[in-house]
Amino acid sequence: MPSQGLFGGLGRAFHRRPADASADSTEAQAEINRVPGAELSSRLDPWWWLVAAVAGIFVLLIIFRSDPYLDILLFVRDGLAVTVLLTLASFVFIIFVGLVGGLGRISKNRFIYLVSTLYVEIVRGVPLLVQLIWWYYAAPVVIQAIGRFLHIPGLAEFRSNAIFLAILGLVICYGAYMSEIFRAGIQSIHKGQMEAARSLGMSYMQAMRYVVVPQAVRVVLPPVGNEFIALLKDSSLVSVVAVADLTRRGREFMATHFDPIEVWTLVALLYLIMTLFSSRVIARLEKRRAER
Amino acid sequence: MEPIIRVENVHKHFGRVHALRGVSLDVQKGEVVVVLGPSGSGKSTLLRCVNHLEVYDAGRITVDGILLKSAQNINAVRREVGMVFQSFNLFPHLTVMDNLLLAQRVVRRRERGESVKVTEELLAKVGISEKSDCYPGQLSGGQQQRVAIARALAMNPKIMLFDEPTSALDPEMIKEVLDVMLALAREGMTMLVVSHEMGFARAAASRCVFMDEGQIVEEGTPERLFSSPTQQRTRDFLSKVL
């Protein structure tokens, strides 16, 4: 556990000189015998201090420089809520799309394999910003044209909803990356597991559900965590397509008050607090999985 | 009597490799058949065809009167056929107890009380009752293989297939697994075993089958096959392993 090495090592060096450490052999022995991770569950992960430190700076700014920091915070708080909700809502669908896409990418059915591979390859080849712009500006026109062509009034009068189309764009883009992560995770499980499950009479879906996927989840947890943090940051791109998220609200505040340093420092701190916090939660989940 | 496993002129290709070249084999209920042969002779492939882990290209395999063909038939056959693998293939994310409970619950749809009772009896039978709350990774190879046997038995199979069950084990653990298999054979279980354990074959086998290059070269009682093989290929092989 590198984090423990960094902080734990610093702590020990601080408390006693190196000469003492080598002299005290029983304690050194006890240190070696200690099971890695065993004491961590009782002690807080040291990286939480980094979260606390950044949050501390943030609070100090709000209290001691409330003009303009408190004003900015009050102005952007609804954008903050949009960013959080947008990220969480998208992520739920991304997990689902990733699971379906991942299973499709290993399907023996030619058609399913072709469709899911086409999806992954196309989506991965187009920048997310371009995709979001396409969904916001181009997709509604396409839908209306189809509606007119097929004489379906509901579609012909389709009104674009910025939040809905932003979530759709994020889900489709991140779903492709997530498909590849799930595919790799499922393929990393030895095929003997599937064979054992099938030879006990389980169907393919039962074997996936009870045997393969639960093991794959453990494998994919670190990359899935990465995706979540990347999504949190990339959600700022939706500010370009009329969604009033944290970034867009920051830009709106700056447009009227002209204080770029304060606005963008605060916005950056807010993103940083959220990502650092998320990465701690993910680390905790990983550890709990690994203890099994 | 109608044989419980009937393999008729089965062929199997892996790409350009002709793994099974017209294999025919009948196994009667209660028989213990041990399949011997050099590596690459197709013996594991034959075993895996019997529960359709490998799909054969030509011929017919009938298990307990059911022709192995459509997906529905395959699941019906697999419910009656237990399989033990060389590499155990226990589910590492489940405890020993849950390894045995899972298929009873989702395939047999047994009630929890009944399946726990079955599980405890089987774990006692293979001698690892005290490990029921352990994860497979905490067990020795021999213990894992005994759990794998118990897991297959939990489905009340009519037939047990063993694919080199002791080949991945350290020598001192082979006996504990063979003892379990021997006890099973004495109870009258129909068994098809791919193994090089001559001691087991002598003690338990009603018949031994020698395979080479995808064909059955010779078969007979273990005494007859080991002491006076009629084919040159059998003699060559036995001189290396006996």
Side-chain angles (χ1 to χ4, degrees), chain B residues 43-152:
Chain B
K43 51 197 194 307
S44 286
T45 307
L46 172 65
L47 201 69
R48 292 162 59 85
C49 281
V50 172
N51 72 347
H52 222 263
L53 286 179
E54 302 290 355
V55 182
Y56 54 92
D57 303 330
R60 282 162 62 94
I61 297 181
T62 318
V63 177
D64 197 22
I66 304 170
L67 177 67
L68 267 179
K69 212 156 187 190
S70 70
Q72 208 168 3
N73 283 355
I74 290 156
N75 283 333
V77 166
R78 279 182 180 147
R79 280 198 287 274
E80 309 306 329
V81 180
M83 175 113 178
V84 175
F85 299 86
Q86 181 177 348
S87 50
F88 327 135
N89 294 349
L90 292 179
F91 306 137
H93 61 303
L94 300 176
T95 61
V96 166
M97 174 66 94
D98 287 335
N99 260 276
L100 269 72
L101 289 179
L102 178 60
Q104 294 186 64
R105 184 163 67 84
V106 304
V107 179
R108 288 283 188 219
R109 306 221 170 268
R110 275 187 197 139
E111 285 172 33
R112 181 160 179 92
E114 191 199 345
S115 53
V116 168
K117 190 162 151 278
V118 170
T119 301
E120 281 168 351
E121 281 168 12
L122 283 170
L123 289 179
K125 187 173 171 180
V126 300
I128 24 188
S129 300
E130 74 282 8
K131 300 283 187 188
S132 68
D133 293 327
C134 293
Y135 286 90
Q138 297 167 308
L139 304 182
S140 73
Q143 290 170 328
Q144 288 192 49
Q145 194 60 298
R146 285 185 283 151
V147 173
I149 294 172
R151 182 177 66 176

Side-chain angles (χ1 to χ4, degrees), chain A residues 33 39 49 67 69 91 148 188 202 205 207 235 253 274 282 287:
Chain A
N33 287 341
E39 89 265 47
W49 289 112
D67 177 28
Y69 285 105
F91 199 67
R148 276 197 300 276
S188 77
M202 287 186 220
M205 287 315 285
S235 73
F253 188 89
M274 288 191 287
I282 293 157
K287 208 170 67 198

